Amino acid sequence: MPDALATVRPAVPNYGIDADRVGGRDSVVAAAKRRWEGRYAVDEFGGDPHLQDFLFAPVVGRIPVHLEGAEHLPREGGALLVANRGPMFTEPFVLSGAVQRAVGRRLRLVGLPNPPLLGVFAHKLGGVGRRAGDAAAVLRAGHLAAAPLAMQISSTSAGEAPRPVIAATLGFPLLPVAVRPGGPGGVPLRPWAVTVGAPLLPPDDTEPGDPLAAAELAEQVRAEIAAMLHGARGE
Amino acid sequence: MRVLVTGMGGHLGTRVAQLLEARDDVEAVAGFDFVPPRRRLSRSLFKRIDPRDRDRLVEFVRGFAPTAVAHFGVYEPGARMGVRASVEASDDCTVNALGAAVRAGALDRVVVRSGLEVYGRGGHRHEVPDEHAPLGPTTPYGRICLDVEAHAAGLARRHGVPVAALRFAPISGSRAPSPLGRLLRLPAVPVPALADPPFQLLHTDDAARAMVAALVRQADGAFNVVGPGAASPWQAARLGNRVPVPFVGPGWLVATRVAELAGSPVPPHVLELIRKGCVADGGRAESELGLTDLVPTQEVVADLYAWASVTALPGSPTVAAPLRGAG
């Protein structure tokens, strides 16, 4: 299959703010001055790295997390992380904090709600639309993205995998991730436990967008996440 | 390669002609437009022909017998003419010029100018479309571009000529006239009160380079050509030290009227860009046309304001005196 990573583009000037890596935080006065002077950039997905460094990174960076499998997280280039999701939509933010601490990279969250006004801030803080093509564009731009499994009542079970997103992003590393609250019965009293599995790739002769390969990969990633969640429960 | 440049009188057409003149593999360059070229051309043949004048246009094109067409006869509403005139001129120019070029019998490649506006914005459309995304223009300029692409695709199908459509981000540069550039240079820039959508720009010189690259490589299919990165209305206005004035709902009617009175007509596709953004995935053009060093959107915005900040110097009295005497 064509090398999807070959189309990754170089970073563009961003007033000293890295669009992919979490940077230092301005003081309130310096941040306000920077905003007033317009010396910040947005990316084509509506992300605002300066605002992310100022508002989002400090918050998710404080979520207590115990991370396993950090060595699987790529230090550069695009990759899709697929994680389980409970009813409260907290898992993507926990995962974002874990990635930030492990490799210092921003995580783009696929499929965040996009209501008026709130959607603007969701995009500025790293959200991406629900469409599979948009998720693929994020990876081609060299970012890390996270797509959730279908929502489950229990935050420790694995729902259906996002097959259209997986089909659109075939060729990029696909990492299964299990996110579990640390306390008994799913209560987030102790640090969250995040386990990152080894990257999954389709067979070498897979065509981009191959629906059958995507379906197999979707089932494989769901099974991997379920195994990681069940393994943790059995401990 | 004998290249016909339609719309040669515009900034882009002239720049492309200059780049083609400098190439050894280009045997001859000819073009037409209803305004003369913006810069000096050394070996290009230019005819001042209104694209709606079918007989003169067809005679000129068939006489030149091009092997390649760089089609810039796609007129953006608000740049030099209104919406209705743009639709008419673009349609006539496309049908007449491409038809005559095919009938001349030597044509082996065509590249047409299009725009990201063919994707439209809002609804269920992709936020960052690639070339496979569904087309659904929501503005007159988007529909003009889609019609041009459809005409050219029909040509490719009937005659087996490879046709490339370059879907440019809004083209901007320090010297190129553009309705978006005029709007952003106003002292107060209208911006959406409840949104700050990203948009991408393309530098004029990069658009010209993309056209030449597509011609030389005999490209086929659609290519998004965008300046890397993005800007947003609030950010761009402040970068240019302008005052962003937020509008919502019917307030935009007032904003567009006031901007028009201030000398900056706001055509629908520019209004859509400010309110809903305009971005696309330009990966294919980078990898297949070799356009890896395009000017980033932020630098295009800065260039726009750098030009506007040039101050006029007072005239020299030693030059002015003889002129007064002569009068």
Side-chain angles (χ1 to χ4, degrees):
Chain A
M1 73 184 290
D3 184 4
L5 299 177
T7 59
V8 168
R9 285 157 278 166
V12 296
N14 203 6
Y15 303 96
I17 303 168
D18 193 321
D20 186 49
R21 307 192 77 79
V22 178
R25 186 183 169 198
D26 281 341
S27 67
V28 174
V29 174
K33 187 168 182 284
R34 184 187 277 273
R35 305 297 294 186
W36 177 248
E37 293 171 349
R39 288 185 302 104
Y40 62 93
V42 294
D43 63 27
E44 55 268 51
F45 310 99
D48 185 333
H50 179 245
L51 210 59
Q52 289 167 22
D53 283 349
F54 194 72
L55 293 180
F56 189 68
V59 174
V60 299
R62 286 198 173 88
I63 299 174
V65 176
H66 175 70
L67 177 65
E68 287 179 29
E71 68 277 10
H72 298 311
L73 291 170
R75 266 55 181 173
E76 58 184 19
L80 180 68
L81 281 64
V82 177
N84 59 305
R85 180 187 153 196
M88 298 303 290
F89 216 91
T90 45
E91 289 80 2
F93 299 101
V94 173
L95 181 55
S96 196
V99 168
Q100 181 180 309
R101 264 185 280 181
V103 291
R105 297 184 67 186
R106 305 179 197 281
L107 186 63
R108 313 306 298 259
L109 305 176
V110 177
L112 280 187
N114 193 18
L117 198 55
L118 202 60
V120 176
F121 284 100
H123 276 68
K124 281 191 173 293
L125 297 180
V128 182
R130 294 171 186 276
R131 292 164 202 84
D134 292 332
V138 168
L139 299 198
R140 282 196 294 271
H143 297 293
L144 275 182
L149 297 179
M151 190 181 75
Q152 297 289 292
I153 298 299
S154 161
S155 60
T156 54
S157 56
E160 285 295 314
R163 198 187 304 170
V165 173
I166 291 174
T169 57
L170 279 177
F172 287 95
L174 174 65
L175 285 82
V177 182
V179 182
R180 307 178 301 277
V187 181
L189 290 175
R190 287 183 293 177
W192 287 75
V194 174
T195 309
V196 182
L200 306 174
L201 283 169
D204 285 342
D205 55 348
T206 305
E207 293 290 326
D210 182 341
L212 192 59
E216 288 174 1
L217 213 51
E219 190 49 43
Q220 195 180 349
V221 75
R222 198 194 73 82
E224 291 269 350
I225 294 169
M228 287 192 281
L229 290 170
H230 288 305
R233 274 210 294 263
E235 284 172 5
Chain B
M1 190 161 52
R2 295 173 60 78
V3 187
L4 173 72
V5 181
T6 67
M8 191 191 256
H11 191 85
L12 261 178
T14 309
R15 186 76 190 110
V16 166
Q18 283 185 319
L19 293 175
L20 291 170
E21 284 180 345
R23 295 186 65 91
D24 294 335
D25 55 353
V26 175
E27 177 195 334
V29 183
F32 65 87
D33 207 342
F34 50 72
V35 290
R38 300 293 179 97
R39 300 183 192 184
R40 185 172 175 277
L41 297 172
S42 57
R43 65 182 179 102
S44 295
L45 170 67
F46 176 79
K47 284 280 183 187
R48 194 165 178 176
I49 301 173
D50 188 320
R52 290 163 288 194
D53 185 348
R54 185 180 183 281
D55 293 340
R56 284 190 67 205
L57 192 155
V58 169
E59 182 189 348
F60 172 67
V61 174
R62 293 188 74 167
F64 180 64
T67 59
V69 175
H71 184 44
F72 278 118
V74 183
Y75 300 95
E76 183 182 357
R80 285 192 294 186
M81 56 180 80
V83 172
R84 191 171 294 176
S86 298
V87 172
E88 189 184 341
S90 301
D91 191 58
D92 288 348
C93 188
T94 304
V95 172
N96 295 338
L98 296 188
V102 164
R103 282 193 295 276
L107 194 65
D108 67 6
R109 69 195 73 181
V110 174
V111 184
V112 300
R113 172 187 179 174
S114 184
L116 301 185
E117 289 81 0
V118 294
Y119 297 112
R121 297 295 291 179
H124 297 290
R125 294 172 178 82
H126 289 214
E127 291 177 4
V128 188
D130 64 8
E131 290 82 356
H132 302 296
L135 306 180
T138 41
T139 59
Y141 182 51
R143 285 188 281 276
I144 288 174
C145 292
L146 188 57
D147 284 346
V148 169
E149 286 194 25
H151 284 311
L155 181 93
R157 204 168 43 244
R158 285 193 301 276
H159 301 280
V161 177
V163 173
L166 301 182
R167 294 174 182 160
F168 291 136
I171 296 167
S172 191
S174 52
R175 295 178 195 86
S178 84
L180 178 64
R182 281 196 290 262
L183 183 68
L184 291 177
R185 284 181 188 135
L186 289 176
V189 179
V191 295
L194 304 177
D196 195 22
F199 64 83
Q200 291 175 302
L201 300 178
L202 182 66
H203 195 274
T204 321
D205 288 344
D206 285 342
R209 282 177 48 223
M211 177 60 82
V212 174
L215 281 172
V216 170
R217 295 176 185 228
Q218 209 170 10
D220 198 2
F223 297 85
N224 296 333
V225 188
V226 301
S232 73
W234 284 85
Q235 184 266 334
R238 283 311 306 148
L239 191 66
N241 204 21
R242 266 58 178 175
V243 180
V245 184
F247 285 93
V248 65
W252 283 104
L253 289 174
V254 178
T256 51
R257 289 283 174 238
V258 171
E260 195 169 345
L261 288 173
S264 173
V266 187
H269 64 285
V270 172
L271 184 61
E272 184 181 76
L273 178 145
I274 294 289
R275 296 181 65 183
K276 299 180 179 175
C278 183
V279 291
D281 183 347
R284 186 182 181 205
E286 290 177 16
S287 58
E288 294 188 23
L289 300 182
L291 300 171
T292 53
D293 55 348
L294 299 176
V295 178
T297 291
Q298 285 289 326
E299 290 183 16
V300 180
V301 173
D303 181 48
L304 200 66
Y305 289 121
W307 178 85
S309 66
V310 172
T311 49
L313 297 172
S316 163
T318 55
V319 175
L323 287 174
R324 278 200 297 270

